[in-house]
């Protein structure tokens, strides 16, 4: 089974990412496809409608949202039917109500917990209500902590910035349901009955870290937030198993990485025609080959295989510029 992130993998804002739809439709001929999104502003049905408009065949049941995972988490820390202060939009409020909780927007209603998710209309007054309520030391659940959201006009602040504002005011941290935490992956695996899922994402700090925590093989596709420079610098917990330039490569045989020693004791990492040398703390390009992605794969193998921190290395700019 394939589990795919949305922002940066399938679309950016209102625009489908080139090759993503055709590649996922081809994959669906042989594999079940499920979608996971940290975006809390829309319902699963609305997301499915958007994906269908791009040319995919998707129902709401095939979309797992961070509000769904957050409400599962909320149910473990409050009583059934409790009053919950909700900071967010329809994507969150509908799920909270469907789970049988009473919804309020005011700290004066003595809520049993606060649940917070992104919506474009969330403002200072909403964050202030959360801060007032959390002064009572009640549970606080956040759908996710993404710092940014890719939009058609560029990169915009995400829910993490809003959560951080409340954190600064109250001095505590929330329970988090969305990526990179396991809760959303666990919800997806349970819903789809997945026994050997593969997860595709575009962010190292949320998608790849989360998949690694959940024990799910991960693919980083370079069509969203993180690109070559971030891949090379990725710490061990955020390294993907596979790196793709775009989703067309999902249907290609993944190339092997080979290692060999040269005469001066350096290690040469080769991916098809791309060759990268690791000599001490220096990583240099021997042969760029024909594919920038192969060169990045070889470079990542060299940097990651060094056992050194990226700030202590000299890395050829050709690997990331």
């Amino acid at each position: 089974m394939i589990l795919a992130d949305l922002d940066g993998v399938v679309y950016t804002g209102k625009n489908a990412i080139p090759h993503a739809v055709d590649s996922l439709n081809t994959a669906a001929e042989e594999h079940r496809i499920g979608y996971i999104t940290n975006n809390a502003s829309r319902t699963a049905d609305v997301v499915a409608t958007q994906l269908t408009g791009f040319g995919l065949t998707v129902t709401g049941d095939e979309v797992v949202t961070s509000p769904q995972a957050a409400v599962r988490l909320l149910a473990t820390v409050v009583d059934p039917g409790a009053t919950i202060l909700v900071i967010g939009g329809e994507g969150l409020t509908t799920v909270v109500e469907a789970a049988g909780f009473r919804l309020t927007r005011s700290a004066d209603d003595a809520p049993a917990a606060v649940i917070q998710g992104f919506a474009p209309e969330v403002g200072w007054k909403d964050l202030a209500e959360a801060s007032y309520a959390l002064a009572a030391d009640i549970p606080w659940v956040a759908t996710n902590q993404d710092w940014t959201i890719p939009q058609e006009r560029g990169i915009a602040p995400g829910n993490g910035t809003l959560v951080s504002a409340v954190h600064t005011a109250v001095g505590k941290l929330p329970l988090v349901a969305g990526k990179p935490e396991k809760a959303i992956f666990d919800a997806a695996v349970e819903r789809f009955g997945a026994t050997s899922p593969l997860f595709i994402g575009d962010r190292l700090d949320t998608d790849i870290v989360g998949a690694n925590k959940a024990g799910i093989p991960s693919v980083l596709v370079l069509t969203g937030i993180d690109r070559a420079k971030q891949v090379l610098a990725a710490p061990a917990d955020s390294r993907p198993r596979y790196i793709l330039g775009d989703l067309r490569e999902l249907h290609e045989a993944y190339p092997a990485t080979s290692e060999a020693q040269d005469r001066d004791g350096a290690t040469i990492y080769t991916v098809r025609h791309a060759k990268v040398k690791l000599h001490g703390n220096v990583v240099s390009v021997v042969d760029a080959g024909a594919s920038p992605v192969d060169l990045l794969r070889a470079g990542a193998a060299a940097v990651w295989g060094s056992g050194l921190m990226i700030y202590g290395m000299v890395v050829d700019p050709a690997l990331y510029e």
Side-chain angles (χ1 to χ4, degrees):
M1 171 168 197
I2 295 173
L3 299 173
D5 180 47
L6 293 177
D7 289 323
V9 174
V10 181
Y11 56 69
T12 300
K14 297 178 181 178
N15 302 317
I17 289 173
H19 315 298
V21 171
D22 289 343
S23 296
L24 289 167
N25 279 332
T26 299
E29 295 172 5
E30 297 183 4
H31 305 280
R32 188 174 185 187
I33 312 291
Y35 298 92
I36 298 179
T37 179
N38 266 6
N39 192 324
S41 63
R42 300 180 300 163
T43 67
D45 286 339
V46 169
V47 172
T49 298
Q50 180 186 13
L51 296 176
T52 300
F54 291 143
L56 295 165
T57 302
V58 184
T59 67
D61 289 340
E62 293 168 314
V63 179
V64 179
T65 69
S66 61
Q68 293 169 348
V71 169
R72 283 167 51 100
L73 190 56
L74 178 68
T76 68
V77 294
V78 297
D79 294 331
T83 298
I84 308 298
L85 176 63
V86 179
I87 308 299
E90 182 185 20
L92 182 56
T93 58
T94 55
V95 177
V96 172
E97 291 177 323
F101 295 110
R102 294 182 59 239
L103 184 153
T104 183
R105 296 288 192 177
S106 173
D108 293 338
D109 292 333
V114 173
I115 190 167
Q116 181 176 353
F118 176 81
E121 63 270 20
V122 170
W124 180 87
K125 290 183 178 180
D126 303 295
L127 302 182
E129 288 299 324
S131 300
Y132 303 150
L134 290 168
D137 197 27
I138 57 176
W140 177 24
V141 176
T143 58
N144 67 290
Q145 292 196 105
D146 287 7
W147 291 107
T148 57
I149 297 177
Q151 299 289 296
E152 59 268 23
R153 294 176 59 195
I155 303 300
N159 195 52
T161 62
L162 305 179
V163 169
S164 181
V166 176
H167 159 68
T168 300
V170 303
K172 64 184 291 186
L173 292 170
L175 300 170
V176 181
K179 300 168 291 178
E181 303 307 321
K182 282 178 80 267
I184 195 166
F185 292 95
D186 291 343
V189 168
E190 179 180 323
R191 180 181 303 180
F192 300 122
T195 56
S196 56
L198 176 71
F199 179 74
I200 306 171
D202 72 300
R203 300 177 65 120
L204 296 167
D205 62 344
T206 55
D207 296 330
I208 306 306
V209 169
N212 290 343
K213 282 183 180 180
I216 298 173
S218 60
V219 175
L220 181 77
V221 61
L222 304 174
T223 53
I225 293 293
D226 286 323
R227 304 298 174 99
K229 195 169 188 178
Q230 290 76 30
V231 171
L232 295 170
D237 65 348
S238 62
R239 293 171 183 169
R241 183 175 297 187
Y242 308 104
I243 303 168
L244 305 182
D246 63 54
L247 288 188
R248 287 177 295 183
E249 297 172 25
L250 188 62
H251 309 290
E252 300 175 2
Y254 197 77
T257 301
S258 63
E259 300 178 28
Q261 301 295 311
D262 69 5
R263 293 177 182 178
D264 62 2
T267 303
I268 306 297
Y269 292 84
T270 302
V271 179
R272 287 189 284 224
H273 299 294
K275 297 180 184 293
V276 173
K277 177 191 286 190
L278 171 65
H279 193 192
N281 70 332
V282 178
V283 179
S284 56
V285 174
V286 177
D287 187 338
S291 167
V293 181
D294 283 346
L295 181 61
L296 175 59
R297 292 162 176 157
V303 173
W304 299 349
S306 71
L308 302 173
M309 302 299 288
I310 191 69
Y311 53 74
M313 304 187 73
V314 179
V315 179
D316 192 333
L319 286 167
Y320 56 82
E321 288 182 346

